[in-house]
Amino acid sequence: MSEHHYTPLTIAGKNYSSRLLVGTGKYKDLEETGLAIAASGAQIVTVAIRRTNIGQDANQPNLLDVISPDKYTILPNTAGCYTAEDAVRTCRLARELLDGHTLVKLEVLGDEKTLYPDIPATLEAAQVLIKEDFQVMVYTNDDPIMAKRFEELGCVAVMPLAAPIGSGLGIRNPFNIVTIVENANVPILVDAGVGTASDAAIAMELGCDGVLMNTAIAAAKQPILMASAMKKAIEAGREAYKAGRMPRKRYATASSPLDGQFV
């Protein structure tokens, strides 16, 4: 991104030059995981504590061998949790495994078919975690009222879905996303539903502070190449947002000036 328009993404008091956050699931092996994350330029990498070995099992490959905490901010998430109690327990486990790490991504799911968030359970878990001094980045639906509620509760970032997790459908409700962004005083990051680079660019053009994705990269035919494409899309979308798009018009307008014609 051009230096003139560059501003860092700030989450929980720490600055990041990349506005792309990535996950670690669904890759064919750890080598591909590491190469794709490197190609993405991401600095925050989210890890599903219930599904990924980051030291729980000494006999299995450790994800931290390819995404070192010395290089990346590891963002433990509560994927696979369907109750507030399970989500809180998972965050506590992550804090133990990562030597007191308190930045977490909270998600409490409502059902296995849609993977939509269970909002009452998410609120309950967020309240407990914030009281225990966790820095909570929260996955929620695209409801502006709930997004503001999570901010007021003390979440350090709010992460509305663009579409169902892993669907690749892109931004289904841009109007709600814009409303959430306009009313927010914490970072807003689109989480879930991005399918390709143009989806990521649109999210950034709407004014989002960043995008978190996993399947869009890992399930691509060439994940490493897609990771590189996503990096560029995030940067281009952010620059376009900062530049300010031209007004939409119903009829054509000549590209060249009409005044002072020579003929």
Side-chain angles (χ1 to χ4, degrees):
M1 181 176 293
S2 66
E3 195 170 312
H4 178 69
H5 295 294
Y6 169 75
T7 53
L9 169 63
T10 303
I11 295 179
K14 185 173 180 179
N15 293 335
Y16 300 92
S17 57
S18 174
R19 292 174 177 272
L20 173 59
L21 292 71
V22 296
T24 56
K26 302 184 180 180
Y27 291 98
K28 68 179 181 181
D29 52 36
L30 287 185
E31 180 182 11
E32 184 178 71
T33 305
L35 290 172
I37 291 171
S40 76
Q43 295 168 298
I44 301 176
V45 180
T46 187
V47 177
I49 297 300
R50 292 169 63 104
R51 299 169 178 166
T52 308
N53 181 37
I54 59 169
Q56 304 97 308
D57 188 344
N59 298 315
Q60 296 294 323
N62 188 332
L63 179 65
L64 299 186
D65 290 339
V66 296
I67 53 162
S68 169
D70 294 333
K71 183 176 181 181
Y72 299 100
T73 293
I74 305 302
L75 179 62
N77 71 59
T78 60
C81 292
Y82 290 86
T83 67
E85 292 79 8
D86 278 350
V88 170
R89 188 182 307 114
T90 300
C91 289
R92 290 169 177 163
L93 172 61
R95 182 169 56 186
E96 292 180 14
L97 291 170
L98 295 170
D99 299 322
H101 184 88
T102 57
L103 182 66
V104 295
K105 179 196 166 190
L106 171 64
E107 56 182 84
V108 184
L109 303 177
D111 65 72
E112 295 184 0
K113 182 177 181 180
T114 67
L115 300 182
Y116 279 128
D118 181 329
I119 297 301
T122 304
L123 279 167
E124 179 184 346
Q127 289 173 327
V128 173
L129 291 170
I130 290 168
K131 286 181 181 178
E132 295 185 8
D133 295 324
F134 281 93
Q135 297 166 310
V136 178
M137 300 173 64
V138 63
Y139 165 69
T140 183
N141 55 24
D142 59 1
D143 178 352
I145 303 302
M146 290 315 307
K148 196 65 180 178
R149 187 73 53 82
F150 282 116
E151 176 188 324
E152 293 169 345
L153 193 63
C155 293
V156 299
V158 177
M159 309 176 73
L161 56 81
I165 292 173
S167 66
L169 290 173
I171 312 291
R172 293 293 87 195
N173 196 337
F175 306 104
N176 275 20
I177 297 295
V178 168
T179 302
I180 290 171
V181 168
E182 289 177 343
N183 292 328
N185 295 305
V186 297
I188 302 298
L189 301 99
V190 157
D191 179 15
V194 168
T196 190
S198 57
D199 298 331
I202 289 170
M204 298 305 295
E205 289 173 6
L206 293 175
C208 293
D209 296 285
V211 178
L212 188 150
M213 65 182 72
N214 182 189
T215 308
I217 296 175
K221 292 180 180 179
Q222 297 186 53
I224 298 166
L225 185 58
M226 183 61 83
S228 177
M230 291 299 190
K231 175 184 178 181
K232 298 180 181 71
I234 293 289
E235 293 173 352
R238 179 66 178 177
E239 286 197 348
Y241 170 71
K242 297 293 286 186
R245 67 158 290 138
M246 63 169 284
R248 289 179 171 89
K249 301 176 182 179
R250 184 177 178 187
Y251 298 109
T253 302
S255 297
S256 55
L258 300 177
D259 297 335
Q261 295 186 80
F262 292 102
V263 179

